Amino acid sequence: MRRAGGAALAAVLLLAGCGKPEREPAAIAGWSALHPAPLSRTEVGAARTGRFVYVAGGFRRSDGHTTGAVERYDVDTDTWRRVRPLPTALNHVAMAAHRSHVYVVGGYSAATGLAEESARLFRYDPDTDRWTPLRAMPRARAALAAARVRDRLYVVGGARDGKALRRLDVYDIGSNRWHQGPPMPTAREHLAAASAGRYVYVLAGRAAGRGNFDVLERYDTETGRWKRLPHMAKPRGGIAAARVGGTIVVFGGEESAGTIREVERYDPATASWSRLPDMRTPRHGLGGVARGRRVFAIEGGPQPGLHFSRAIEALNVAAP
């Protein structure tokens, strides 16, 4: 982190029980709280188009059941609005945006718990407030990730029958067709993906019996090849990631000790990781998007397991 000195020392002393800092540590002060969402949820998906962020699916706090609810957050006015729900209730979905449309793919469709993986793909049109079913994925799965490069969606990883997958499926938006790409080097679920230029970056995740990963792998959409990149400092699963400028920011997640505060940024220009301010409210199963140089952490569970939050918080990310 760039900020050190007094604030960092005060944070260390506080953790050691040696006193209370006079001001909030820099690691927390970097994030700002925004107007909470109407619903308290976890294991949601999120995607942004223009000034609007769409948050879909997940488990709802009222009864712990899977929901199809969709909320729209207006970044410019810091306000929320409910829009038409998904055609079917889903949790652990992947989401991406293309032009003015939002896409939701995969997820678990059981009323409770992690069961009944879905292969369905839906497109939302904000102009008509309508969801349209599109051609389903070749293989159903959940806890997956998706990113868009040009006119294609790249859907990676996920879980099926409790097993982490290496699978890459590519959806051509113009032709409404899928084809299978070369598998990832590392099978994982509860992962994140973000695109920058012609590349799809696939971050962290976990697999049953192996715990969390610190892996970063990059897919070149032009050559069809995967490349292993430098590992992040913190293994994590149940995360979010977003592109800010030409860099990738990863945040959130859970581990046996609790939810994860650390926020990291990968800079492809230097092939290196750096720390950003810790999350104000660490969460897993959250949504993550960026607009300009702001990253948004949306809803999710503030404790491991089935916990819920309405929080939306933003971080202004300086240029590297």
Side-chain angles (χ1 to χ4, degrees), residues 127-212:
D127 292 337
T128 61
D129 191 29
R130 297 276 182 183
W131 289 94
T132 302
L134 302 173
R135 188 179 295 249
M137 277 192 299
R139 186 175 186 186
R141 58 199 201 267
L144 66 173
R148 180 190 61 82
V149 176
R150 293 184 287 276
D151 295 331
R152 292 182 173 182
L153 303 181
Y154 294 81
V155 182
V156 292
R160 177 72 182 269
D161 299 325
K163 181 180 178 181
L165 303 175
R166 299 171 58 204
R167 191 174 180 105
L168 166 64
D169 287 309
V170 184
Y171 176 74
D172 188 301
I173 294 171
S175 67
N176 189 31
R177 292 184 180 276
W178 290 90
H179 73 267
Q180 187 173 348
M184 285 191 300
T186 307
R188 44 204 162 119
E189 36 100 354
H190 282 84
L191 68 169
S195 61
R198 72 197 225 196
Y199 299 112
V200 174
Y201 295 84
V202 184
L203 304 104
R206 63 188 186 224
R210 298 184 62 190
N212 288 339

Side-chain angles (χ1 to χ4, degrees), residues 204-216:
R206 63 188 186 224
R210 298 184 62 190
N212 288 339
F213 296 119
D214 57 5
V215 174
L216 172 62

Side-chain angles (χ1 to χ4, degrees), residues 28 35 37 44 48 66 68 89 91 98 110 123 141 147 164 173 203 210 235 245 269 272 285 303 317:
I28 297 177
H35 194 279
V44 298
R48 180 191 65 81
T66 303
N91 65 74
H98 177 56
R123 180 182 66 209
R141 58 199 201 267
I173 294 171
L203 304 104
R210 298 184 62 190
S272 63
Q303 301 174 47
V317 180

Side-chain angles (χ1 to χ4, degrees), residues 58-310:
F59 295 114
R60 63 192 179 210
R61 182 171 190 167
S62 58
D63 56 11
H65 283 202
T66 303
T67 178
V70 181
E71 297 171 297
R72 186 179 77 184
Y73 176 73
D74 187 327
V75 175
D76 289 351
T77 63
D78 190 26
T79 57
W80 290 89
R81 176 188 170 190
R82 288 282 290 272
V83 298
R84 186 179 294 272
L86 290 165
T88 185
L90 294 164
N91 65 74
H92 288 82
V93 300
M95 291 181 66
H98 177 56
R99 296 177 181 167
S100 63
H101 292 154
V102 173
Y103 295 81
V104 173
V105 64
Y108 294 110
S109 60
T112 60
L114 311 182
E116 300 177 23
E117 293 90 344
S118 172
R120 303 185 72 180
L121 171 66
F122 300 105
R123 180 182 66 209
Y124 178 72
D125 185 345
D127 292 337
T128 61
D129 191 29
R130 297 276 182 183
W131 289 94
T132 302
L134 302 173
R135 188 179 295 249
M137 277 192 299
R139 186 175 186 186
R141 58 199 201 267
L144 66 173
R148 180 190 61 82
V149 176
R150 293 184 287 276
D151 295 331
R152 292 182 173 182
L153 303 181
Y154 294 81
V155 182
V156 292
R160 177 72 182 269
D161 299 325
K163 181 180 178 181
L165 303 175
R166 299 171 58 204
R167 191 174 180 105
L168 166 64
D169 287 309
V170 184
Y171 176 74
D172 188 301
I173 294 171
S175 67
N176 189 31
R177 292 184 180 276
W178 290 90
H179 73 267
Q180 187 173 348
M184 285 191 300
T186 307
R188 44 204 162 119
E189 36 100 354
H190 282 84
L191 68 169
S195 61
R198 72 197 225 196
Y199 299 112
V200 174
Y201 295 84
V202 184
L203 304 104
R206 63 188 186 224
R210 298 184 62 190
N212 288 339
F213 296 119
D214 57 5
V215 174
L216 172 62
E217 293 166 346
R218 186 186 72 187
Y219 181 68
D220 187 329
T221 63
E222 294 185 3
T223 67
R225 295 179 179 176
W226 287 95
K227 181 178 181 180
R228 179 71 62 87
L229 298 174
H231 291 191
M232 62 189 69
K234 182 72 176 178
R236 60 181 80 213
I239 61 174
R243 182 187 70 199
V244 178
T247 68
I248 308 297
V249 178
V250 59
F251 47 100
E254 62 182 339
E255 58 187 359
S256 58
T259 47
I260 296 171
R261 291 185 175 275
E262 292 92 333
V263 179
E264 299 180 69
R265 172 169 60 179
Y266 179 74
D267 185 352
T270 60
S272 63
W273 287 93
S274 60
R275 280 285 298 274
L276 294 176
D278 290 356
M279 294 184 72
R280 184 186 185 98
T281 309
R283 283 160 280 156
H284 71 99
L286 71 169
V289 302
R291 187 185 187 213
R293 302 212 67 88
R294 296 178 81 196
V295 169
F296 298 84
I298 308 163
E299 300 179 19
Q303 301 174 47
L306 197 61
H307 294 270
F308 313 87
S309 175
R310 299 170 56 205

Side-chain angles (χ1 to χ4, degrees), residues 1 3-14 23 25-27:
M1 293 178 59
R3 297 185 66 177
L9 177 60
V12 171
L13 292 175
L14 178 62
R23 59 189 179 122

